[in-house]
Amino acid sequence: MRDPAIGEILVQADELNHRIDQLGTEIARDYAGREPVLLVGVLKGALFFLSDLMRRLDVPCEVDFMAVASYGSATQSSGVVRILKDLDAVIEDRHVLVVEDIVDSGLTLQYLVRNLRARGPASLEVCALLTKPARRQVELEPRYVGFEIPDRFVIGYGLDHQERYRNLPYVAVLQSSART
Ligand code: 5GP
């Protein structure tokens, strides 16, 4: 797609593919004997990551979704999170793996993890495609991470800017001139 808002590509499609293969193998190995694992996709950014990861998991698994909105500016979350869509499933005594697109300050994930932990799952881990360690405001590291990226606002492979660019097959930097 030709668009001046699309900047440098940070993660190419084949790199995504390869890393998600590795994550699938690792997660399937870790969850053997703790099935079925319940994947909780965080909408909408984790859309493609979740579906690609799930197809690589060679263990029985189920899927459910949550949608959250973080109060704050367009590019900066505040840690005050509103649940737009809650899980259908009851997760008490279940093995839950939260699948996130990106961990930035970590505030959204911190809220989500606390909220889900209070429901009494047998285990609760997080798998994030991307993480920006330089931006972290809370001590929180996902158990599984696809790629560490620098402090840039990225789009593609599910990640949006004002709801666009999710369909890019790679992860690219949003040109700063396109940020509002
Ligand atoms: P946090 O609470 O960790 O600061 O922000 C997490 C959420 O902010 C992510 O789930 C994602 O929706 C959004 N976000 C953070 N960084 C980026 C980015 O570089 N690009 C996009 N598209 N969204 C981001």
Side-chain angles (χ1 to χ4, degrees):
M1 192 157 80
R2 274 161 155 259
D3 185 320
I6 304 170
E8 183 194 347
I9 295 179
L10 291 188
V11 191
Q12 296 281 2
D14 60 341
E15 295 176 274
L16 287 166
N17 230 356
H18 179 63
R19 183 68 187 121
I20 297 170
D21 260 348
Q22 292 177 331
L23 285 172
T25 305
E26 194 183 336
I27 292 169
R29 193 188 54 218
D30 291 354
Y31 280 86
R34 290 193 290 161
E35 311 108 3
V37 50
L38 177 65
L39 303 179
V40 170
V42 184
L43 296 171
K44 304 172 190 169
L47 173 72
F48 301 125
F49 180 42
L50 174 81
S51 62
D52 284 344
L53 182 68
M54 191 172 178
R55 276 178 285 185
R56 264 111 155 172
L57 289 184
D58 194 16
V59 283
C61 49
E62 297 173 16
V63 68
D64 204 345
F65 296 96
M66 275 186 94
V68 295
S70 179
Y71 289 106
S73 66
T75 55
Q76 184 92 47
S77 81
S78 63
V80 182
V81 175
R82 191 160 51 108
I83 295 180
L84 303 179
K85 187 225 171 288
D86 206 344
L87 295 174
D88 295 332
V90 173
I91 62 168
E92 194 178 354
D93 297 330
R94 301 287 314 265
H95 292 286
V96 175
L97 179 63
V98 175
V99 181
E100 255 283 29
D101 51 359
I102 186 164
V103 187
D104 187 26
S105 67
L107 290 166
T108 305
L109 194 57
Q110 184 185 54
Y111 170 86
L112 211 58
V113 165
R114 283 187 181 155
N115 182 293
L116 294 177
R117 194 164 281 143
R119 305 183 196 192
S123 68
L124 179 65
E125 301 287 355
V126 176
C127 177
L129 177 67
L130 304 170
T131 173
K132 294 183 202 170
R135 298 260 304 171
R136 201 72 87 250
Q137 288 180 31
V138 294
E139 238 180 79
L140 181 152
E141 262 326 297
R143 171 78 179 77
Y144 307 95
V145 169
F147 299 89
E148 288 192 356
I149 60 166
D151 179 12
R152 316 282 293 275
F153 191 86
V154 292
I155 49 174
Y157 195 66
L159 288 150
D160 76 310
H161 173 58
Q162 297 177 349
E163 292 302 325
R164 286 187 52 199
Y165 307 111
R166 294 191 196 276
N167 55 325
L168 298 177
Y170 46 76
V171 175
V173 173
L174 178 75
Q175 292 289 29
S176 48
S177 54
R179 275 174 83 159
T180 50

